[in-house]
Amino acid sequence: MAVNAVKIVGLGASLPKHQVSNKGISEYLDTNDEWITTRTGIKNRFHATEGEYTSYLAFKAGKAALSSMNIENSIEIDTLIVATSTPDRLCPATAPKVATMLGLGKIRAFDINAVCTGFVYGLELAESFIRSGKSKRLMLIGADVFTTILDKNDRTTYPLFGDGAGAVILEQGDEENILSTYTGSDGEYENLITILNGGSESKLSVSKDTFSKSSYFKM
């Protein structure tokens, strides 16, 4: 039986401890605060340090979302979706690990990867789960430690990205919070934003030369 309304009942976020300013970036890249600020508006970004994996940031964001609901461990949550381009490992998925860390039990938990649009796709998917009655209460987390796939010497990407996580909890209800969603894609431009190395098309190489050229995020 379809459910007519989906409401957001919890919000949470998490950032690493280490903050990096534009001045800090310019100490080892040919750039400066004015160049970055005028083009992007970015002044600071957060970079994960040892132990601050995607799962850790996702856990902290999810815990904050649970706290915002004032409930204990939320055994009522039946689904966890983690949207990430930087999972802890290529396999298994990071979501089951986060579910265990949050004490959610053996619930439905899986990752999705749509890079910058991951959270948007996750929200549309979460909405469908709840509207269909498949899920009664769902947690969606967008989390990335993007600095793990950035070339520190690439001034076109390194100043733009940081690490962090955000979480929402959605459930069935009478109050409508999601008015509409629209998503689309165009695979013709796959080479504009990509990591060439490491997939089935171009297997990961341990060669230092290959790694330096093809295993980092490029735009």
Side-chain angles (χ1 to χ4, degrees), residues 37 62 66 73 87-88 93 96-97 102-103 134 158 173 208 210 218:
T37 302
L66 290 171
N73 278 344
D88 283 8
K97 178 180 179 179
L102 288 169
K134 187 75 173 178
Y158 198 74
K208 183 178 180 181
T210 302
K218 295 289 184 183

Side-chain angles (χ1 to χ4, degrees), residues 52-123:
E52 292 180 317
Y53 310 119
T54 295
S55 60
Y56 175 77
L57 295 178
F59 160 70
K60 297 288 284 185
K63 187 176 181 181
L66 290 171
S67 296
S68 74
M69 292 182 64
N70 297 315
I71 55 178
E72 293 290 333
N73 278 344
S74 189
I75 58 173
E76 300 173 66
I77 289 178
D78 53 41
T79 305
L80 172 63
I81 302 172
V82 173
T84 183
S85 299
T86 57
D88 283 8
R89 304 178 184 181
L90 288 178
C91 68
T94 299
K97 178 180 179 179
V98 177
T100 297
M101 294 169 72
L102 288 169
L104 300 180
K106 298 179 180 180
I107 64 170
R108 180 190 301 113
F110 59 94
D111 295 356
I112 63 169
N113 180 357
V115 200
C116 296
T117 57
F119 191 86
V120 177
Y121 273 96
L123 191 63

Side-chain angles (χ1 to χ4, degrees), residues 88-162:
D88 283 8
R89 304 178 184 181
L90 288 178
C91 68
T94 299
K97 178 180 179 179
V98 177
T100 297
M101 294 169 72
L102 288 169
L104 300 180
K106 298 179 180 180
I107 64 170
R108 180 190 301 113
F110 59 94
D111 295 356
I112 63 169
N113 180 357
V115 200
C116 296
T117 57
F119 191 86
V120 177
Y121 273 96
L123 191 63
E124 187 174 53
L125 185 60
E127 177 191 4
S128 299
F129 265 82
I130 294 174
R131 288 195 192 283
S132 69
K134 187 75 173 178
S135 175
K136 292 183 178 179
R137 180 177 284 167
L138 181 151
M139 179 183 289
L140 167 65
I141 304 174
D144 269 308
V145 180
F146 221 74
T147 50
T148 59
I149 57 174
L150 294 179
D151 181 357
K152 198 171 183 179
N153 299 310
D154 183 0
R155 68 191 296 269
T156 67
T157 60
Y158 198 74
L160 303 181
F161 297 92

Side-chain angles (χ1 to χ4, degrees), residues 39-58:
R39 287 163 175 78
T40 69
I42 298 170
K43 284 288 189 181
N44 297 282
R45 75 282 296 146
F46 290 84
H47 287 182
T49 55
E50 184 65 32
E52 292 180 317
Y53 310 119
T54 295
S55 60
Y56 175 77
L57 295 178

Side-chain angles (χ1 to χ4, degrees), residues 156-175:
T156 67
T157 60
Y158 198 74
L160 303 181
F161 297 92
D163 307 323
V168 294
I169 298 173
L170 305 99
E171 67 178 28
Q172 299 174 356
D174 298 326
E175 179 185 357

